[in-house]
Amino acid sequence: MTLSRPTAAETSAQSDETATLTIGFIPLVDCAILVAAAEKGFAEAEGLQLALVRETSWANIRDRAMLGHFDAAQMLAPLPIASTLGAGGHLQVPMVAPFSLGLGGNAITLSEQLWSALEADGAELSDGPEKTVGHLARHVARRKAEGRDPLTLATVYPFSGHNYELRYWLASGGIDPDRDVRLVVLPPPFMVDALAEGQVDGFCVGEPWNSLAVEKGVGVIAATKSALWRQGPDKVLGLRRRFAEEHPERLEALIRALYRAARWASDPGHLDELAGLLSRPAYVGGSPAVMQAALSGRITRRKGVASGEIPDFLVFHAHAANFPWQSHALWFYSQMVRWGQVPYRSEDLARVRQVYRPDIYRAALKSTDADLPNASAKVEGALKTPTPVASRSGRMVLGPDGFFDGRLFDPDDVEGYLRSIGVEV
Amino acid sequence: MSDASLRILVIDDNAVRASIIEDGLREAGLSDVTVIIEMRGLLRQIVEADPDVVFIDLENPNRDVLEQMFQVSRTVRRPVAMFVDRSDAASIEAAIDAGVSAYVVDGLRKERVKPILDMAISRFNAFNRLRDELEHAKQALEDRKVIDKAKGILMKTRGIGEEEAYALLRKTAMNESRRVADIAQGLVTASKLLG
């Protein structure tokens, strides 16, 4: 159904007592914080009513957020950056991301058939991403030599962590994602069927779609995002900068509600209830068991093969997961440049940095017991073990974080990083 | 190239709505209209249609697929930009309110595409009205059924006539500021519970 226009900004202006905020979301496990905020009274406690609107495509989320149909939305973490830069030939609207909706949560799934071919080459489930992509690279080379069609791999959207982590992984194994394979976009609900029917040979998507492919026996989870970039960001709360400027109190109230909802959602004691909420058809739908697996990181990577808990598979709250690190924004920008989505312009660095808004996050939470890091950016990949960092309470522990190839990303030297991965700037 | 020669593609898995749009475009003298209802092999179908303008309904998750195809201009012959002009927020807003998104091949002049876009938007709106009317009609029918049932219950249990039963329902509805159908539904549910 079409959403009529007065829903967002106008209704939120109706009353100071309870403001209604219209928030768009996509049926994925990581809409959990929004659902918990709306269903468990966290929004209400801040004088907010959340009208959650389920959407079918990221393009809809983008357009409706840009036009103000939505006050805010669950967004792929690079999306507010792309919109601010006007990348992809769409409207250019300055957006902000003042809150991260979680770290990790994605995985790369390959078809059973493709995985069996890698296995014949010596691949094992217990291999790290580096080894697995080596097998994949040999397979890709062999296909080329035999004159067979290149592999087709799907992601969810061009400006997505999924796209960048898949490309990063492929490139690390010497596979050129634009030449050696075909990368396509598929909506998450179509992924499993496309894999089963052989239309795609693999995909990178959020849960529950990887687990569903495994459950159906058509896919094998070759790598989780947590193995590719531990503590890597995935979704954020995104909204127009104008809304943030016009309604700072309302936005701060929303951030407090989401912060408490994130804490609630990350409590293992609430796993059953959260899985039950998410499996309602109005939110994600599907079986609570599959939701539980994704939420707890106890996912099965291959049908019939028991696997243990995957550390940091999906982080809703721990390790300052909700903090909008500006280094995340700059990393995403570096990948947009790397893959030719936007031209590199040194003057864009400051614009990109300003999309992620630790200042709003801090302002919203200063009156609460939330711990706040002193820094707004960090060198990504620097923490090999859990490390205490400077914060308001002095007790904040981050990490371990990092990319599987051991590469560091210094947000103060984006140009140096780009050169180190072979991009001319 | 006259407008009549513009190749227009409509992607909509709702066959009724697609045909309403197609008819409208043809009536406006645009004869080269292709409709895709089957979403399988979408890319191949688009390449074959080789459109100048693409319309897709917002409920279709394939919007994301489409956008990526347009970014990879090697697959689809020419680069495509969203809407008439990326600065034209009003057009985008009108389209999205109607429930449609439009993609236009870069280089097509704005004034040529605008009337087509407006036409598609008005057709989408017409379809939405039609759907709303249908919903209303369905609702009215449902209401009548449940009111008839409730009247039957009242007539039986209270031994009153049909008109009196209806008057009673209406009076209760007015007193409680609710719809007659809602009061009737409550009565039917309660009577089921009581056996």
Side-chain angles (χ1 to χ4, degrees):
Chain A
M1 273 303 287
T2 315
L3 195 68
S4 58
R5 221 174 316 163
T7 35
E10 287 174 45
T11 43
S12 47
Q14 270 171 5
S15 133
D16 285 338
E17 287 296 300
T18 21
T20 300
L21 295 182
T22 306
I23 300 183
F25 76 98
I26 294 277
L28 288 165
V29 165
D30 53 24
C31 68
I33 296 175
L34 293 171
V35 171
E39 293 280 351
K40 295 303 298 174
F42 298 110
E44 215 173 13
E46 290 291 339
L48 298 175
Q49 179 104 34
L50 301 189
L52 299 186
V53 180
R54 185 172 139 136
E55 268 301 345
T56 52
S57 70
W58 291 108
N60 285 5
I61 290 269
R62 176 200 63 212
D63 291 342
R64 290 193 156 159
M66 277 180 167
L67 294 172
H69 288 192
F70 295 153
D71 295 311
Q74 172 199 19
M75 285 189 186
L76 295 159
L79 196 50
I81 303 164
S83 297
T84 303
L85 296 176
H90 305 293
L91 273 186
Q92 182 169 7
V93 176
M95 309 282 278
V96 294
F99 189 89
S100 160
L101 292 174
L103 308 173
N106 303 332
I108 296 172
T109 294
L110 301 178
S111 70
E112 262 289 341
Q113 205 184 3
L114 176 54
W115 182 258
S116 300
L118 302 191
E119 243 178 0
D121 189 50
E124 287 176 36
L125 265 188
S126 55
D127 289 342
E130 213 149 26
K131 232 175 156 183
T132 308
V133 78
H135 292 292
L136 188 65
R138 276 194 290 283
H139 177 83
V140 166
R142 214 162 33 238
R143 284 178 87 103
K144 206 182 236 173
E146 291 166 6
R148 293 163 66 198
D149 277 348
L151 293 174
T152 301
L153 303 173
T155 63
V156 298
Y157 193 72
F159 301 99
S160 65
H162 314 70
N163 186 24
Y164 304 138
E165 70 210 45
L166 179 63
R167 284 169 173 269
Y168 191 102
W169 183 60
L170 293 171
S172 78
I175 302 170
D176 183 333
D178 288 312
R179 283 192 184 176
D180 300 334
V181 293
R182 276 187 64 219
L183 288 189
V184 298
V185 161
L186 266 188
F190 299 171
M191 293 269 188
V192 178
D193 285 344
L195 195 69
E197 289 165 14
Q199 293 167 23
V200 301
D201 303 291
F203 52 66
C204 182
V205 68
E207 282 293 88
W209 307 105
N210 299 286
S211 289
L212 288 172
V214 171
E215 198 182 59
K216 260 187 121 177
V218 297
V220 178
I221 296 179
T224 60
K225 176 162 186 162
S226 54
L228 295 167
W229 181 8
R230 189 117 177 229
Q231 319 286 354
D234 198 63
K235 304 285 172 9
V236 294
L237 181 81
L239 56 137
R240 286 184 302 171
R241 190 167 74 200
R242 216 176 106 193
F243 182 90
E245 285 161 1
E246 286 174 359
H247 304 285
E249 302 84 15
R250 225 164 267 174
L251 179 55
E252 286 176 15
L254 176 63
I255 289 170
R256 281 191 294 276
L258 294 180
Y259 183 88
R260 293 190 178 111
R263 186 158 58 189
W264 182 88
S266 69
D267 183 338
H270 300 142
L271 186 62
D272 282 353
E273 192 180 351
L274 182 58
L277 278 175
L278 289 177
S279 50
R280 286 188 197 164
Y283 296 126
V284 184
S287 90
V290 170
M291 297 295 153
Q292 274 197 3
L295 291 168
S296 61
R298 283 190 297 273
I299 58 169
T300 304
R301 287 180 55 192
R302 189 178 199 183
K303 189 163 183 154
V305 181
S307 31
E309 188 177 321
I310 296 174
D312 294 336
F313 175 73
L314 173 59
V315 184
F316 281 144
H317 189 64
H319 316 306
N322 306 122
F323 190 78
W325 293 100
Q326 292 181 320
S327 38
H328 289 169
L330 288 163
W331 187 83
F332 286 127
Y333 176 68
S334 77
Q335 303 305 300
M336 289 179 193
V337 172
R338 179 181 192 181
W339 304 116
Q341 291 180 322
V342 295
Y344 177 77
R345 287 197 304 234
S346 56
E347 64 267 29
D348 279 344
L349 291 175
R351 290 171 74 200
V352 168
R353 196 184 270 268
Q354 282 308 313
V355 174
Y356 277 37
R357 295 294 293 274
D359 56 324
I360 298 178
Y361 181 92
R362 288 198 186 95
L365 296 171
K366 66 175 188 287
S367 59
T368 70
D369 63 349
D371 202 1
L372 303 168
N374 291 356
S376 293
K378 56 190 165 86
V379 175
E380 298 295 333
L383 306 180
K384 304 298 172 209
T385 52
T387 308
V389 295
S391 73
R392 184 160 71 160
S393 75
R395 286 189 303 273
M396 179 171 274
V397 176
L398 294 183
D401 71 356
F403 302 92
F404 71 93
D405 59 358
R407 201 175 280 280
L408 297 182
F409 176 77
D410 179 354
D412 293 326
D413 186 18
V414 175
E415 287 186 18
Y417 174 81
L418 283 168
R419 275 194 287 268
S420 80
I421 52 175
V423 181
E424 306 247 346
V425 288
Chain B
M1 188 161 70
S2 71
D3 282 349
S5 68
L6 277 180
R7 278 189 296 271
I8 301 173
L9 178 64
V10 178
I11 302 173
D12 197 332
D13 51 13
N14 182 323
V16 177
R17 181 168 50 198
S19 74
I20 288 178
I21 296 159
E22 188 182 3
D23 289 349
L25 292 167
R26 287 191 196 281
E27 277 165 27
L30 296 148
S31 52
D32 199 346
V33 183
T34 309
V35 176
I36 296 182
I37 298 164
E38 170 58 52
M39 296 301 138
R40 260 162 207 273
L42 187 61
L43 177 61
R44 189 180 38 76
Q45 296 191 69
I46 294 174
V47 171
E48 275 168 15
D50 189 23
D52 299 300
V53 183
V54 181
F55 290 106
I56 183 167
D57 75 297
L58 283 196
E59 288 159 36
N60 196 322
N62 280 303
R63 253 198 100 186
D64 287 344
V65 180
L66 210 57
E67 293 204 352
Q68 189 247 4
M69 285 176 194
F70 297 157
Q71 283 186 5
V72 187
S73 50
R74 281 174 301 166
T75 344
V76 182
R77 227 156 47 92
R78 286 165 294 182
V80 178
M82 188 194 175
F83 293 105
V84 180
D85 180 327
R86 59 197 270 182
S87 63
D88 190 0
S91 284
I92 297 182
E93 178 127 31
I96 285 179
D97 274 342
V100 62
S101 178
Y103 297 87
V104 179
V105 173
D106 250 350
L108 258 183
R109 285 203 328 278
K110 184 174 173 174
E111 53 272 25
R112 295 190 57 208
V113 179
K114 188 82 166 78
I116 307 172
L117 178 64
D118 290 345
M119 152 70 67
I121 291 170
S122 79
R123 284 277 154 166
F124 255 79
N125 282 331
F127 174 79
N128 287 343
R129 273 198 302 278
L130 208 66
R131 183 166 61 180
D132 288 349
E133 279 165 23
L134 195 66
E135 289 289 315
H136 277 301
K138 265 194 204 152
Q139 185 63 47
L141 192 66
E142 288 300 313
D143 286 355
R144 212 168 58 214
K145 276 191 206 154
V146 76
I147 290 169
D148 282 346
K149 254 192 214 158
K151 275 195 297 194
I153 294 166
L154 285 178
M155 285 156 71
K156 208 169 126 196
T157 53
R158 292 209 168 196
I160 52 177
E162 187 177 346
E163 258 174 54
E164 209 178 331
Y166 185 72
L168 190 59
L169 282 172
R170 202 178 54 188
K171 190 168 153 242
T172 314
M174 278 166 72
N175 287 346
E176 297 190 12
S177 315
R178 289 166 66 195
R179 294 168 61 237
V180 176
D182 293 341
I183 297 293
Q185 183 62 59
L187 185 65
V188 171
T189 309
S191 112
K192 260 191 213 146
L193 284 175
L194 296 170

